[in-house]
Amino acid sequence: MARRAAPVLHRDNPEKEPLSGHVKVTPEDWLNVARDLLVSEGVAGVKVLAIGERLGVSRSSFYWYFKSRKHLLEALLDDWEARNTAPILDHCDLPAANISWAVCNFFRCFVDPDLFDASLDFAVREWSRRDGKVRNRIDAADAQRLAAVTAMFERHDYSAYEAEARARILYFMQCGYHALEVREPMQARTARLEGYLLGFTGAEPDQQAVAAARAFAEQKMDR
Amino acid sequence: MARRAAPVLHRDNPEKEPLSGHVKVTPEDWLNVARDLLVSEGVAGVKVLAIGERLGVSRSSFYWYFKSRKHLLEALLDDWEARNTAPILDHCDLPAANISWAVCNFFRCFVDPDLFDASLDFAVREWSRRDGKVRNRIDAADAQRLAAVTAMFERHDYSAYEAEARARILYFMQCGYHALEVREPMQARTARLEGYLLGFTGAEPDQQAVAAARAFAEQKMDR
DNA sequence: ACGATCCTGGACAGTCTTGTCCAGAGAAAA
DNA sequence: TTTTCTCTGGACAAGACTGTCCAGGATCGT
């Protein structure tokens, strides 16, 4: 075996790229495009060839940076874990004058793509349905987040029982919203924030908190 | 071309199946296994070979019943539409003495796999993220369902504004619950029903309604 | 200038999947 | 029984994807 035609060299094939020569990429480039594909196409769409094409680079150079596609997927999972849970925990721990402010703080996470990438979170969630290891990691993340929201309600004098029920309503509702990917302008959504507060705190909404959250969301929309 | 080895006949190959001869399947068999695979593996897992193997039938006989894989997927989508939306609309329209009973009726849909197959619904939802046509159909289904829940709250004297906010909390929360596929025994879940009612109706929960919903859920669990 | 190293392109091999074709088994009709 | 129709099995072809190998261009240090 090992009989093989001589590879076509650049100088013999000027159509390729005038003089730029090799295109250099970093492992981060591969990872970034992989994340995009995970979100837009699902884990099945994370293909070495597809990433290489988008980077304008040959497929085989991938194997210089990653041992295999499987290792890329592991890196992708680490990347998600490093991004998406900490901001929620932080925002639940933020000091708040009353429950309205606390809920509005929580709400900010799900409005600001820099704090929490909902698309990425749900792409990983979908992936987890077909992979036990992924599933375990996302279960742990959900447990952490729910515990943080529960603690938030408890700090505002709800009983343990009510705090947990309301935390679940709040977190599940927000996740349901993203799961359904409702096509609704951000304005309509924030306008209904007051209604939500009415629904799940059982207290009169603090209009200042609502206004602040609305302003924040609208500002995030402008970008 | 068209040179080809003579196919191995059954009588020449007794290893196959003693004497049962051809195994007959129906288009419904193909569809049922396809639905299972859609739920467990996602749309990418709906492969002609995989279905055929599970049916114990050769891959090529698939093409007698369906023009192509694409046509199977269309049939799958029609099948979902025929199953999953009507029960929700029906349960929202059920007569109810008060809002607690109404919400508990709604709750039943999401507890009874015969009324609403949440796994199938989310499998289609996931599919819809990669296919515009699927997306349009599921958007329409969501709109119908939300309208029904909103109307339910309105019949119990909530204002249009509050009815919509509470309908969204209720529907999104329930979807979020299924989207996250929380691993929690049904008992724990129904025990928290009262807490949910407390959270999103803004009224004192009707203990009889809660008890009835609990009993229903526990009975469904036994099967 | 020149050698060592980094990184990429293309060929190759192997697997998996879809879709087509046709011989012929089984069952139903004549 | 014989004929006809329905349905299945296996071969074939083509395409997509993964992973391997290696020649050699590009670049950096000396």
Side-chain angles (χ1 to χ4, degrees):
Chain A
M1 61 179 68
R3 184 167 51 81
R4 152 185 318 155
V8 178
L9 308 183
H10 279 172
R11 60 165 177 251
D12 300 336
N13 185 14
E15 328 287 14
K16 274 279 163 173
E17 279 176 353
L19 205 67
S20 73
H22 284 196
V23 182
K24 287 248 184 177
V25 296
T26 65
E28 284 70 35
D29 291 331
W30 286 97
L31 194 65
N32 287 336
V33 176
R35 193 190 314 107
D36 276 2
L37 282 171
L38 176 66
V39 169
S40 63
E41 313 269 320
V43 69
V46 182
K47 297 167 197 165
V48 180
L49 179 63
I51 307 173
E53 274 175 357
R54 203 193 280 189
L55 287 173
V57 148
S58 142
R59 191 176 60 81
S60 54
S61 96
F62 167 82
Y63 295 93
W64 182 262
Y65 301 106
F66 296 90
K67 199 177 160 196
S68 69
R69 178 174 176 275
K70 195 176 153 188
H71 284 74
L72 172 67
L73 293 181
E74 278 173 18
L76 216 40
L77 204 55
D78 290 338
D79 171 75
W80 158 76
E81 206 167 59
R83 284 169 184 261
N84 258 16
T85 293
I88 296 185
L89 305 186
D90 291 347
H91 275 67
C92 286
D93 282 345
L94 245 44
N98 55 43
I99 188 64
S100 282
W101 277 103
V103 170
C104 286
N105 281 341
F106 178 84
F107 176 77
R108 289 184 191 208
C109 271
F110 287 83
V111 167
D112 186 348
D114 295 329
L115 291 175
F116 177 77
D117 184 339
S119 300
L120 176 60
D121 216 59
F122 274 87
V124 173
R125 211 169 281 284
E126 172 189 328
W127 178 10
S128 79
R129 298 185 63 185
R130 269 113 220 163
D131 187 317
K133 287 187 180 178
V134 181
R135 177 72 215 215
N136 290 337
R137 288 175 79 166
I138 210 158
D139 279 350
D142 278 333
Q144 270 192 296
R145 297 172 189 180
L146 268 175
V149 185
T150 302
M152 182 182 88
F153 276 100
E154 282 176 346
R155 274 198 309 278
H156 289 279
D157 301 326
Y158 288 85
S159 70
Y161 180 82
E162 272 202 38
E164 189 175 349
R166 291 180 196 280
R168 285 171 165 258
I169 292 173
L170 180 54
Y171 183 60
F172 289 162
M173 187 204 70
Q174 203 58 258
C175 287
Y177 195 96
H178 286 292
L180 268 52
E181 286 184 285
V182 183
R183 293 193 211 280
E184 179 185 47
M186 182 66 81
Q187 229 175 350
R189 190 175 169 193
T190 57
R192 235 169 254 121
L193 175 62
E194 186 187 356
Y196 291 157
L197 277 170
L198 216 127
F200 54 59
T201 64
E204 204 57 35
D206 180 326
Q207 294 301 337
Q208 278 188 298
V210 175
R214 243 182 235 178
F216 182 79
E218 273 156 26
Q219 166 209 324
K220 282 295 162 186
M221 240 190 116
D222 285 342
R223 296 182 326 157
Chain B
M1 59 179 68
R3 184 167 50 79
R4 150 185 319 154
V8 179
L9 308 184
H10 279 171
R11 60 166 176 250
D12 300 335
N13 186 16
E15 327 287 13
K16 273 279 162 171
E17 279 176 354
L19 206 65
S20 72
H22 284 196
V23 181
K24 287 249 184 176
V25 296
T26 64
E28 283 71 34
D29 291 331
W30 286 98
L31 193 65
N32 288 336
V33 177
R35 192 189 315 108
D36 276 2
L37 283 171
L38 176 66
V39 169
S40 63
E41 313 269 320
V43 68
V46 181
K47 296 168 195 165
V48 180
L49 179 64
I51 308 174
E53 272 174 359
R54 203 192 281 188
L55 287 173
V57 147
S58 145
R59 191 176 61 79
S60 54
S61 96
F62 166 83
Y63 294 93
W64 182 263
Y65 301 106
F66 295 90
K67 200 177 160 194
S68 70
R69 179 173 176 274
K70 196 175 153 190
H71 283 74
L72 172 68
L73 294 181
E74 278 173 16
L76 216 41
L77 203 56
D78 290 338
D79 171 76
W80 159 76
E81 204 166 60
R83 284 170 184 262
N84 258 17
T85 293
I88 296 185
L89 305 186
D90 291 348
H91 275 67
C92 286
D93 282 345
L94 245 44
N98 54 44
I99 189 62
S100 281
W101 278 102
V103 169
C104 287
N105 282 339
F106 178 85
F107 175 76
R108 288 185 191 206
C109 272
F110 286 83
V111 167
D112 185 349
D114 295 328
L115 290 175
F116 178 78
D117 185 339
S119 301
L120 176 61
D121 216 60
F122 274 88
V124 173
R125 212 169 280 284
E126 170 190 328
W127 178 10
S128 79
R129 298 184 65 184
R130 269 112 219 162
D131 186 318
K133 286 187 179 179
V134 181
R135 176 74 216 213
N136 289 336
R137 288 175 79 165
I138 212 159
D139 279 351
D142 278 334
Q144 270 192 295
R145 298 171 189 180
L146 267 176
V149 185
T150 303
M152 185 183 86
F153 275 100
E154 283 176 345
R155 274 199 307 278
H156 289 279
D157 301 326
Y158 289 85
S159 71
Y161 180 83
E162 273 204 36
E164 190 175 348
R166 290 180 196 278
R168 285 171 165 259
I169 293 173
L170 180 54
Y171 182 61
F172 289 161
M173 186 203 70
Q174 203 58 258
C175 287
Y177 195 97
H178 286 291
L180 267 54
E181 286 184 286
V182 182
R183 293 193 212 281
E184 178 186 47
M186 182 66 81
Q187 231 175 350
R189 190 175 168 194
T190 58
R192 236 169 253 122
L193 176 61
E194 187 185 357
Y196 289 158
L197 277 169
L198 218 126
F200 54 59
T201 65
E204 203 58 34
D206 179 327
Q207 293 301 335
Q208 279 188 297
V210 174
R214 243 183 235 177
F216 182 80
E218 273 158 24
Q219 166 208 325
K220 282 295 161 187
M221 240 190 116
D222 286 342
R223 296 181 327 155

